[in-house]
Amino acid sequence: MGKSSLRVRAMRRLQAEGIVCAFIDLTGIGKEDVTPEKWYAGMINSLVSSCQLSNKINWRNWWRDRRDLLSPLQRFSLFIEEVILIEITQNLVIFIDEIDRVLSMNFSADEFFALIRWFYNQRVDNPLYRRLTFALLGVATPSDLIADKTQTPFNIGKAINLAGFKLDEVQPLIDGWQGRVANPENVIAEILDWTGGQPFLTQKLCKLVLENKLNQATSIGTEGFEGLVRWRVVENWESQDEPEHLKTIRDRLLRNQQKAGQLLGLYQQILASAPPPNPPLVTGGLGGVIADSSPEQTELRLSGLVVQHQGKLQIYNRIYAEVFNLEWVEKQLAKLRPYAANFHAWNAANFEDDFPTAAGQALQEALEWSKYQSLSPLDYRF
């Protein structure tokens, strides 16, 4: 969504105001075979380096000296209070990127987010903590961050939802085209029509225009520009998706087999609700499913595939609608359902109530499989 660029710009502005900024990228710490000991030590290493304290503090000795007395979480908390907030006398913002990686670690990070909440609550009694702020960046909801329902949920802070570029927000891209592309305002308008302003895709299409010397202004829907998008982005997308973007969306939809059927079913409803032309109209058009903030709708939004617009969930952009179309959804659902052939026939028969669906052993297998799945309403009706 462009969150990394937003972080860099935010850090520059804060630093210009005299605020110290630290950066922790959880990708660099890893998650395979990482213990709490290594994970918290990795974060401290990033903190010390980012705050330029390496020459003042031997954090490794500090960490080892307290190993027998305190847990990794307690040492991390104490290091923030006794070292970081003492050495740094200005306000401090700690940016933690790729926060969603904690959702797939081999140990729970609930205590870490509970600690951040504790830091926040300490502001009332300890002035030190009034100088400390955390900014968490990633693809997750606050309810995801503390999975243990016996703990207080992660109910502090403020969510920043990022929207796509609007035409009046892309002047820097237009400026970069001056003298290289004829009528850059027209070309960027066509790009936004395909991308919905999605930052990564918008910049990718800008680059493709230059690489392919598409220097003549083209009107929306004409063969030149549309052909470029289909040739370089949509067709055979799995082999052309570099750097990965569309694959990431696909994997977010399908990574949890128990939820995949429900997410695909919901997305199928959104696709089907959009009126012609094909591909379906996207943000700003008609169609969509009424937004209700249910867990499955939130999960689908977090995949990046759909956005909430005027109270409805709609497909984010034309590229997504072309790549993840009804045919693609049907193929994915067919891989999941043990009753795919009968389900498809029932669908073709316009969902007749007296249609012969399944019986005997096939019915028992389908029922047993469904116990462990989150399915679409149409599957449960079948």
Side-chain angles (χ1 to χ4, degrees), residues 137-154:
L137 297 91
V139 183
T141 63
S143 60
D144 289 332
L145 301 182
I146 296 183
D148 185 355
K149 301 309 177 187
T150 64
Q151 291 199 49
T152 305
F154 195 76

Side-chain angles (χ1 to χ4, degrees), residues 1 13 19 24 36 72 106 109 111 121 125 170 179 204 219-220 225 247 254 260 282 289 294 305 338 350 355 361:
M1 258 326 298
R13 290 179 60 180
I19 297 171
I24 299 173
N106 54 15
E111 287 186 334
N121 292 335
D125 302 312
V170 291
K204 180 170 185 172
S219 58
I220 294 177
F225 186 76
K247 290 177 186 175
L254 305 178
V282 292
V289 171
S294 62
L305 188 56
N350 204 25
F355 183 85
Q361 184 64 26

Side-chain angles (χ1 to χ4, degrees), residues 124-179:
V124 176
D125 302 312
N126 190 337
L128 274 179
Y129 290 99
R130 295 172 195 166
R131 297 192 283 108
L132 176 64
T133 300
F134 284 86
L136 311 179
L137 297 91
V139 183
T141 63
S143 60
D144 289 332
L145 301 182
I146 296 183
D148 185 355
K149 301 309 177 187
T150 64
Q151 291 199 49
T152 305
F154 195 76
N155 54 1
I156 60 171
K158 177 182 178 181
I160 302 172
N161 295 310
L162 304 184
F165 289 136
K166 304 294 188 295
L167 190 57
D168 60 355
E169 296 172 334
V170 291
Q171 191 60 47
L173 296 178
I174 295 173
D175 292 343
W177 273 354
Q178 296 300 333

Side-chain angles (χ1 to χ4, degrees), residues 254 264-265 267-269 271-272 323-337 339-348 351 376 378-379:
L254 305 178
L264 289 169
Y267 178 60
Q268 191 177 42
Q269 292 178 49
L271 276 173
V323 170
F324 304 107
N325 54 25
L326 284 170
E327 182 182 359
W328 180 86
V329 174
E330 281 297 333
K331 285 182 179 178
Q332 303 310 313
L333 286 171
K335 293 176 184 177
L336 295 173
R337 296 174 178 134
Y339 47 83
N342 283 350
F343 184 91
H344 187 72
W346 176 65
N347 194 334
F351 317 115
S376 69
L378 205 56
D379 280 88

Side-chain angles (χ1 to χ4, degrees), residues 294-314:
S294 62
E296 58 271 18
Q297 285 200 5
T298 301
E299 188 83 13
L300 189 60
R301 287 178 61 196
L302 289 175
S303 75
L305 188 56
V306 303
V307 292
Q308 184 171 322
H309 181 73
Q310 295 181 351
K312 291 186 176 182
L313 289 190
Q314 297 178 331

